[in-house]
Amino acid sequence: MTKQQEQIDDNPQSKLIRIPLSEALGIKKGVNAIIGSGGKSSLLKSLSLELSQKGSVLLTTSTHILPFSHCENICISDENVSTSDENISILNGNALISNENVSSLNKNILTLNEKILLPGKDIHSEEEALKNSKVLLQRKVLSLWNKSQNPILCLGTLGKNGKLSPFPLPFSILEKMADYVLVEADGSKRLPGKAHGQNEPQIPRESQRIILVFGASALHNPISDVIHRVEIFQNFFTPSLTPETLLTKELLLQAFRKENLGDCLFVNQLDCLTKKEAEELLLFLQKGLGKMVCGGSLKEGSAHPELFIL
Protein backbone atom coordinates (compact mmCIF):
# COMPACT_ATOMS: atom_id res chain seq x y z
CA MET A 1 0.00 0.00 0.00
CA THR A 2 1.37 3.41 -0.96
CA LYS A 3 1.65 6.34 1.44
CA GLN A 4 -1.03 8.17 -0.55
CA GLN A 5 -3.36 5.15 -0.34
CA GLU A 6 -2.88 4.99 3.45
CA GLN A 7 -3.89 8.65 3.63
CA ILE A 8 -6.97 7.94 1.54
CA ASP A 9 -8.02 5.03 3.74
CA ASP A 10 -7.61 7.18 6.88
CA ASN A 11 -9.74 9.93 5.42
CA PRO A 12 -12.22 8.65 2.81
CA GLN A 13 -13.84 12.09 2.58
CA SER A 14 -10.60 13.79 1.54
CA LYS A 15 -10.52 16.11 -1.43
CA LEU A 16 -9.15 15.05 -4.78
CA ILE A 17 -5.36 15.14 -4.94
CA ARG A 18 -2.87 14.73 -7.77
CA ILE A 19 0.04 12.27 -7.85
CA PRO A 20 2.04 10.59 -10.66
CA LEU A 21 -0.04 8.22 -12.78
CA SER A 22 2.18 5.16 -12.31
CA GLU A 23 2.27 5.70 -8.55
CA ALA A 24 -1.51 6.08 -8.32
CA LEU A 25 -2.00 2.81 -10.20
CA GLY A 26 0.69 0.93 -8.29
CA ILE A 27 2.64 0.02 -11.42
CA LYS A 28 5.54 -2.30 -10.59
CA LYS A 29 8.65 -3.44 -12.42
CA GLY A 30 7.90 -6.45 -14.59
CA VAL A 31 4.64 -7.20 -16.38
CA ASN A 32 1.57 -5.00 -15.85
CA ALA A 33 -1.72 -5.74 -17.65
CA ILE A 34 -4.23 -3.12 -18.83
CA ILE A 35 -7.80 -4.40 -19.31
CA GLY A 36 -11.30 -3.00 -19.79
CA SER A 37 -12.31 -0.21 -22.14
CA GLY A 38 -12.42 3.51 -22.69
CA GLY A 39 -8.75 4.39 -22.91
CA LYS A 40 -6.41 1.39 -22.64
CA SER A 41 -4.09 2.54 -25.44
CA SER A 42 -4.01 6.10 -24.11
CA LEU A 43 -3.18 4.78 -20.66
CA LEU A 44 -0.38 2.64 -22.09
CA LYS A 45 1.06 5.68 -23.86
CA SER A 46 0.85 7.92 -20.80
CA LEU A 47 2.37 5.28 -18.52
CA SER A 48 5.17 4.49 -20.96
CA LEU A 49 6.13 8.16 -21.24
CA GLU A 50 6.18 8.54 -17.48
CA LEU A 51 7.99 5.25 -16.75
CA SER A 52 10.60 5.91 -19.44
CA GLN A 53 12.02 8.54 -17.09
CA LYS A 54 12.85 5.68 -14.70
CA GLY A 55 13.88 2.86 -17.04
CA SER A 56 13.15 0.91 -20.22
CA VAL A 57 9.56 0.13 -21.23
CA LEU A 58 8.15 -2.58 -23.51
CA LEU A 59 4.64 -2.11 -24.92
CA THR A 60 2.92 -5.20 -26.27
CA THR A 61 -0.37 -7.12 -26.29
CA SER A 62 -1.89 -10.48 -25.49
CA THR A 63 -4.77 -9.72 -27.89
CA HIS A 64 -4.52 -6.87 -30.43
CA ILE A 65 -3.19 -3.36 -30.43
CA LEU A 66 -2.34 -0.63 -32.94
CA PRO A 67 1.31 0.43 -33.38
CA PHE A 68 2.29 3.48 -31.35
CA SER A 69 3.48 6.73 -32.92
CA HIS A 70 5.47 7.94 -29.90
CA CYS A 71 8.00 5.09 -29.94
CA GLU A 72 9.71 2.53 -32.14
CA ASN A 73 7.75 -0.56 -33.20
CA ILE A 74 9.52 -3.83 -34.01
CA CYS A 75 7.22 -6.41 -35.54
CA ILE A 76 7.21 -9.94 -36.85
CA SER A 77 5.30 -10.15 -40.14
CA ASP A 78 2.82 -13.05 -40.15
CA GLU A 79 2.00 -12.57 -43.84
CA ASN A 80 2.95 -10.43 -46.82
CA VAL A 81 2.19 -6.98 -45.54
CA SER A 82 3.38 -3.54 -46.44
CA THR A 83 3.44 -0.42 -44.34
CA SER A 84 4.22 3.25 -44.79
CA ASP A 85 4.61 3.86 -41.05
CA GLU A 86 8.16 5.07 -40.51
CA ASN A 87 8.02 3.97 -36.87
CA ILE A 88 7.66 0.27 -37.73
CA SER A 89 10.51 -2.19 -38.21
CA ILE A 90 9.78 -5.66 -39.57
CA LEU A 91 11.39 -8.95 -38.64
CA ASN A 92 10.01 -11.35 -41.23
CA GLY A 93 8.25 -14.33 -39.68
CA ASN A 94 9.62 -16.71 -42.31
CA ALA A 95 13.07 -16.22 -40.82
CA LEU A 96 11.91 -18.23 -37.84
CA ILE A 97 11.68 -21.42 -39.86
CA SER A 98 13.70 -20.96 -43.03
CA ASN A 99 16.78 -19.28 -44.44
CA GLU A 100 14.85 -17.00 -46.74
CA ASN A 101 16.15 -13.48 -46.74
CA VAL A 102 13.73 -10.60 -46.71
CA SER A 103 13.89 -7.60 -48.97
CA SER A 104 13.06 -4.21 -47.55
CA LEU A 105 9.42 -3.18 -47.88
CA ASN A 106 10.46 0.45 -47.89
CA LYS A 107 13.43 2.54 -46.85
CA ASN A 108 12.06 3.05 -43.34
CA ILE A 109 11.76 -0.65 -42.49
CA LEU A 110 14.54 -2.66 -40.93
CA THR A 111 14.88 -6.17 -42.31
CA LEU A 112 16.20 -9.35 -40.80
CA ASN A 113 18.67 -10.94 -43.23
CA GLU A 114 19.82 -13.91 -41.16
CA LYS A 115 17.95 -16.93 -39.90
CA ILE A 116 16.56 -16.81 -36.37
CA LEU A 117 16.32 -20.59 -36.15
CA LEU A 118 19.75 -22.04 -36.90
CA PRO A 119 19.61 -25.79 -37.57
CA GLY A 120 22.73 -27.74 -36.75
CA LYS A 121 24.30 -30.61 -34.85
CA ASP A 122 23.59 -28.92 -31.53
CA ILE A 123 19.85 -29.12 -32.16
CA HIS A 124 18.51 -32.57 -31.24
CA SER A 125 14.79 -32.02 -30.79
CA GLU A 126 11.92 -29.78 -31.82
CA GLU A 127 11.72 -28.46 -28.25
CA GLU A 128 15.41 -27.58 -28.29
CA ALA A 129 15.07 -25.90 -31.66
CA LEU A 130 12.13 -23.80 -30.42
CA LYS A 131 14.06 -22.76 -27.33
CA ASN A 132 17.03 -21.80 -29.50
CA SER A 133 14.86 -19.73 -31.83
CA LYS A 134 13.37 -17.78 -28.91
CA VAL A 135 16.78 -17.00 -27.47
CA LEU A 136 18.03 -15.77 -30.83
CA LEU A 137 14.89 -13.71 -31.46
CA GLN A 138 15.32 -12.10 -28.05
CA ARG A 139 18.93 -11.26 -28.85
CA LYS A 140 17.97 -9.84 -32.23
CA VAL A 141 15.36 -7.51 -30.75
CA LEU A 142 17.74 -6.32 -28.06
CA SER A 143 20.44 -5.69 -30.66
CA LEU A 144 18.03 -3.40 -32.56
CA TRP A 145 16.83 -1.57 -29.46
CA ASN A 146 18.93 1.36 -28.29
CA LYS A 147 17.45 1.81 -24.82
CA SER A 148 19.49 4.90 -24.01
CA GLN A 149 18.16 6.81 -27.02
CA ASN A 150 14.72 5.18 -27.22
CA PRO A 151 13.67 3.78 -23.83
CA ILE A 152 10.20 2.82 -25.12
CA LEU A 153 9.66 -0.04 -27.60
CA CYS A 154 6.50 -1.72 -28.90
CA LEU A 155 6.63 -5.38 -29.97
CA GLY A 156 4.00 -7.28 -31.94
CA THR A 157 3.08 -9.38 -34.95
CA LEU A 158 1.87 -7.22 -37.82
CA GLY A 159 -1.17 -8.23 -39.88
CA LYS A 160 -2.80 -6.82 -43.02
CA ASN A 161 -5.21 -4.66 -41.02
CA GLY A 162 -2.31 -2.80 -39.42
CA LYS A 163 -3.03 -4.16 -35.96
CA LEU A 164 -0.46 -5.97 -33.88
CA SER A 165 -1.13 -9.36 -32.34
CA PRO A 166 1.10 -11.00 -29.68
CA PHE A 167 4.85 -11.12 -30.31
CA PRO A 168 6.20 -14.71 -30.55
CA LEU A 169 8.07 -14.59 -27.25
CA PRO A 170 6.56 -15.62 -23.91
CA PHE A 171 6.09 -13.00 -21.23
CA SER A 172 8.59 -14.86 -19.09
CA ILE A 173 11.22 -13.73 -21.62
CA LEU A 174 9.75 -10.31 -22.33
CA GLU A 175 9.84 -9.36 -18.65
CA LYS A 176 13.62 -9.87 -18.71
CA MET A 177 14.07 -7.52 -21.65
CA ALA A 178 12.89 -4.28 -20.01
CA ASP A 179 12.31 -2.72 -16.61
CA TYR A 180 8.59 -2.38 -17.29
CA VAL A 181 6.37 -4.45 -19.62
CA LEU A 182 2.94 -2.92 -20.25
CA VAL A 183 0.42 -5.25 -21.89
CA GLU A 184 -2.89 -4.42 -23.52
CA ALA A 185 -4.73 -7.57 -22.46
CA ASP A 186 -8.28 -6.87 -23.63
CA GLY A 187 -10.38 -5.74 -26.59
CA SER A 188 -13.29 -3.31 -26.52
CA LYS A 189 -14.20 -2.20 -30.06
CA ARG A 190 -13.41 1.41 -29.04
CA LEU A 191 -16.44 1.62 -26.75
CA PRO A 192 -16.13 3.22 -23.29
CA GLY A 193 -17.53 0.19 -21.41
CA LYS A 194 -17.20 -3.57 -21.65
CA ALA A 195 -18.54 -6.85 -20.29
CA HIS A 196 -16.13 -9.77 -20.54
CA GLY A 197 -16.64 -13.10 -22.27
CA GLN A 198 -15.57 -16.49 -20.96
CA ASN A 199 -12.00 -16.27 -22.26
CA GLU A 200 -11.49 -12.57 -21.54
CA PRO A 201 -9.38 -10.77 -20.60
CA GLN A 202 -6.12 -12.42 -21.69
CA ILE A 203 -4.01 -11.60 -18.64
CA PRO A 204 -0.41 -12.88 -18.62
CA ARG A 205 0.26 -15.01 -15.56
CA GLU A 206 3.43 -12.98 -14.99
CA SER A 207 1.39 -9.81 -14.33
CA GLN A 208 2.42 -7.90 -11.22
CA ARG A 209 -0.48 -5.47 -11.49
CA ILE A 210 -3.80 -5.50 -13.36
CA ILE A 211 -5.43 -2.16 -14.16
CA LEU A 212 -9.11 -2.06 -15.14
CA VAL A 213 -10.07 0.94 -17.31
CA PHE A 214 -13.54 2.42 -17.80
CA GLY A 215 -14.65 5.45 -19.82
CA ALA A 216 -16.92 7.83 -17.91
CA SER A 217 -18.57 8.98 -21.15
CA ALA A 218 -20.60 5.74 -21.03
CA LEU A 219 -22.64 6.97 -18.06
CA HIS A 220 -26.26 8.05 -18.62
CA ASN A 221 -26.33 6.54 -22.13
CA PRO A 222 -28.18 3.43 -23.39
CA ILE A 223 -26.06 0.38 -22.59
CA SER A 224 -26.40 -0.87 -26.17
CA ASP A 225 -24.56 2.24 -27.38
CA VAL A 226 -21.67 2.22 -24.93
CA ILE A 227 -21.00 -1.36 -23.74
CA HIS A 228 -19.02 -3.92 -25.74
CA ARG A 229 -20.63 -7.38 -25.41
CA VAL A 230 -23.79 -5.74 -24.14
CA GLU A 231 -25.65 -9.08 -24.10
CA ILE A 232 -23.34 -10.31 -21.35
CA PHE A 233 -23.78 -7.05 -19.44
CA GLN A 234 -27.58 -7.35 -19.64
CA ASN A 235 -27.48 -10.81 -18.10
CA PHE A 236 -25.53 -9.63 -15.05
CA PHE A 237 -28.91 -8.48 -13.71
CA THR A 238 -32.21 -10.14 -12.78
CA PRO A 239 -34.41 -9.44 -14.59
CA SER A 240 -32.14 -8.88 -17.57
CA LEU A 241 -31.70 -5.27 -18.63
CA THR A 242 -33.12 -3.98 -21.89
CA PRO A 243 -30.73 -2.53 -24.49
CA GLU A 244 -32.27 0.91 -23.90
CA THR A 245 -31.44 0.93 -20.19
CA LEU A 246 -29.38 3.96 -19.24
CA LEU A 247 -26.07 3.17 -17.56
CA THR A 248 -26.01 4.53 -14.01
CA LYS A 249 -23.17 4.40 -11.50
CA GLU A 250 -25.23 1.92 -9.48
CA LEU A 251 -25.51 -0.50 -12.41
CA LEU A 252 -21.84 0.01 -13.18
CA LEU A 253 -20.85 -0.88 -9.62
CA GLN A 254 -22.93 -4.06 -9.72
CA ALA A 255 -21.29 -5.09 -12.99
CA PHE A 256 -17.80 -4.43 -11.62
CA ARG A 257 -18.63 -6.52 -8.56
CA LYS A 258 -19.98 -9.32 -10.73
CA GLU A 259 -16.81 -9.53 -12.81
CA ASN A 260 -14.38 -8.73 -9.98
CA LEU A 261 -11.52 -7.87 -12.32
CA GLY A 262 -8.40 -5.81 -11.75
CA ASP A 263 -6.30 -4.79 -8.76
CA CYS A 264 -7.40 -1.19 -9.21
CA LEU A 265 -9.78 0.85 -11.37
CA PHE A 266 -8.89 3.81 -13.55
CA VAL A 267 -11.87 5.90 -14.65
CA ASN A 268 -10.93 7.76 -17.83
CA GLN A 269 -12.77 10.60 -19.59
CA LEU A 270 -13.54 12.49 -16.38
CA ASP A 271 -13.46 15.68 -18.45
CA CYS A 272 -17.04 14.88 -19.46
CA LEU A 273 -18.12 15.36 -15.82
CA THR A 274 -17.96 18.31 -13.46
CA LYS A 275 -15.32 18.16 -10.74
CA LYS A 276 -18.03 17.46 -8.14
CA GLU A 277 -19.53 14.67 -10.27
CA ALA A 278 -16.09 13.15 -10.79
CA GLU A 279 -15.34 13.23 -7.06
CA GLU A 280 -18.69 11.66 -6.19
CA LEU A 281 -18.26 8.92 -8.82
CA LEU A 282 -14.76 7.93 -7.69
CA LEU A 283 -15.76 7.93 -4.02
CA PHE A 284 -18.87 5.86 -4.76
CA LEU A 285 -16.89 3.26 -6.72
CA GLN A 286 -14.04 3.08 -4.23
CA LYS A 287 -16.41 2.52 -1.31
CA GLY A 288 -18.37 -0.08 -3.26
CA LEU A 289 -15.40 -2.00 -4.64
CA GLY A 290 -13.00 -1.80 -1.72
CA LYS A 291 -10.02 -1.26 -4.03
CA MET A 292 -7.98 1.67 -5.28
CA VAL A 293 -9.96 3.88 -7.68
CA CYS A 294 -8.52 6.89 -9.45
CA GLY A 295 -9.32 8.79 -12.61
CA GLY A 296 -8.44 11.48 -15.07
CA SER A 297 -8.55 12.41 -18.74
CA LEU A 298 -6.10 10.70 -21.08
CA LYS A 299 -7.43 11.96 -24.40
CA GLU A 300 -4.11 13.62 -25.21
CA GLY A 301 -2.05 10.66 -24.02
CA SER A 302 0.37 13.02 -22.30
CA ALA A 303 3.11 12.01 -19.92
CA HIS A 304 1.49 14.03 -17.15
CA PRO A 305 -2.29 13.85 -17.57
CA GLU A 306 -4.60 15.58 -15.12
CA LEU A 307 -5.08 12.82 -12.58
CA PHE A 308 -7.30 12.67 -9.53
CA ILE A 309 -7.50 10.16 -6.71
CA LEU A 310 -9.52 10.44 -3.52
Side-chain angles (χ1 to χ4, degrees):
M1 180 179 291
T2 65
K3 181 178 180 181
Q4 287 82 1
Q5 192 168 351
E6 290 174 353
Q7 294 172 345
I8 291 165
D9 292 339
D10 291 341
N11 183 13
Q13 299 298 328
S14 62
K15 295 295 183 180
L16 296 175
I17 60 175
R18 301 183 186 182
I19 65 175
L21 181 59
S22 59
E23 185 176 343
L25 297 176
I27 298 298
K28 302 177 181 180
K29 286 192 173 181
V31 179
N32 297 266
I34 311 299
I35 64 174
S37 56
K40 294 190 302 298
S41 295
S42 294
L43 181 57
L44 286 166
K45 179 179 179 181
S46 292
L47 283 173
S48 67
L49 289 168
E50 182 178 303
L51 292 169
S52 66
Q53 304 303 309
K54 304 177 183 180
S56 56
V57 183
L58 267 182
L59 295 169
T60 190
T61 182
S62 61
T63 55
H64 295 92
I65 198 172
L66 288 169
F68 288 91
S69 60
H70 73 293
C71 67
E72 290 187 340
N73 297 264
I74 294 181
C75 310
I76 287 287
S77 172
D78 64 352
E79 50 191 315
N80 293 323
V81 297
S82 60
T83 176
S84 59
D85 191 335
E86 63 182 9
N87 297 298
I88 295 178
S89 304
I90 300 294
L91 305 179
N92 188 277
N94 292 330
L96 292 171
I97 55 176
S98 74
N99 61 3
E100 297 177 6
N101 291 335
V102 190
S103 59
S104 178
L105 297 177
N106 65 39
K107 64 179 181 180
N108 296 311
I109 293 177
L110 296 177
T111 60
L112 178 64
N113 291 320
E114 68 268 24
K115 292 185 295 180
I116 288 295
L117 178 57
L118 300 176
K121 295 180 180 180
D122 58 330
I123 303 298
H124 301 288
S125 67
E126 183 177 347
E127 181 180 356
E128 194 173 355
L130 181 60
K131 181 180 179 180
N132 185 64
S133 69
K134 290 178 179 178
V135 170
L136 292 172
L137 180 55
Q138 176 189 6
R139 290 176 181 173
K140 185 62 183 181
V141 170
L142 290 175
S143 73
L144 294 172
W145 185 14
N146 187 330
K147 294 183 182 181
S148 61
Q149 293 185 4
N150 303 293
I152 308 171
L153 174 68
C154 177
L155 291 178
T157 299
L158 184 64
K160 284 184 177 180
N161 60 5
K163 288 186 177 181
L164 305 181
S165 54
F167 196 74
L169 283 178
F171 288 100
S172 59
I173 291 180
L174 292 177
E175 67 179 346
K176 298 175 183 177
M177 296 170 62
D179 296 308
Y180 301 92
V181 179
L182 304 178
V183 184
E184 181 162 325
D186 214 349
S188 58
K189 302 294 185 183
R190 296 187 176 275
L191 291 174
K194 175 174 182 176
H196 291 83
Q198 185 175 2
N199 297 318
E200 297 176 313
Q202 297 289 327
I203 301 173
R205 63 183 180 182
E206 293 83 0
S207 297
Q208 302 289 319
R209 192 76 167 160
I210 302 168
I211 312 302
L212 175 65
V213 183
F214 169 76
S217 65
L219 292 170
H220 312 305
N221 286 293
I223 58 175
S224 58
D225 293 342
V226 294
I227 301 293
H228 179 44
R229 305 203 190 289
V230 67
E231 298 84 3
I232 297 175
F233 188 90
Q234 291 174 252
N235 291 326
F236 285 160
F237 304 88
T238 304
S240 178
L241 302 178
T242 66
E244 295 77 25
T245 302
L246 299 183
L247 182 64
T248 64
K249 63 182 181 181
E250 291 78 14
L251 291 177
L252 181 63
L253 176 60
Q254 290 185 58
F256 283 152
R257 283 176 170 173
K258 181 76 174 181
E259 293 196 317
N260 192 29
L261 293 171
D263 300 314
C264 65
L265 171 65
F266 182 84
V267 182
N268 190 27
Q269 304 170 349
L270 286 184
D271 55 310
C272 69
L273 305 176
T274 67
K275 185 175 180 180
K276 181 179 180 181
E277 289 172 336
E279 182 177 353
E280 290 176 348
L281 175 63
L282 296 186
L283 181 60
F284 174 79
L285 292 174
Q286 181 162 287
K287 284 184 173 180
L289 294 174
K291 65 177 69 173
M292 171 62 85
V293 177
C294 61
S297 177
L298 300 174
K299 59 184 179 181
E300 299 301 326
S302 64
H304 304 287
E306 187 173 53
L307 173 72
F308 297 109
I309 69 171
L310 294 168

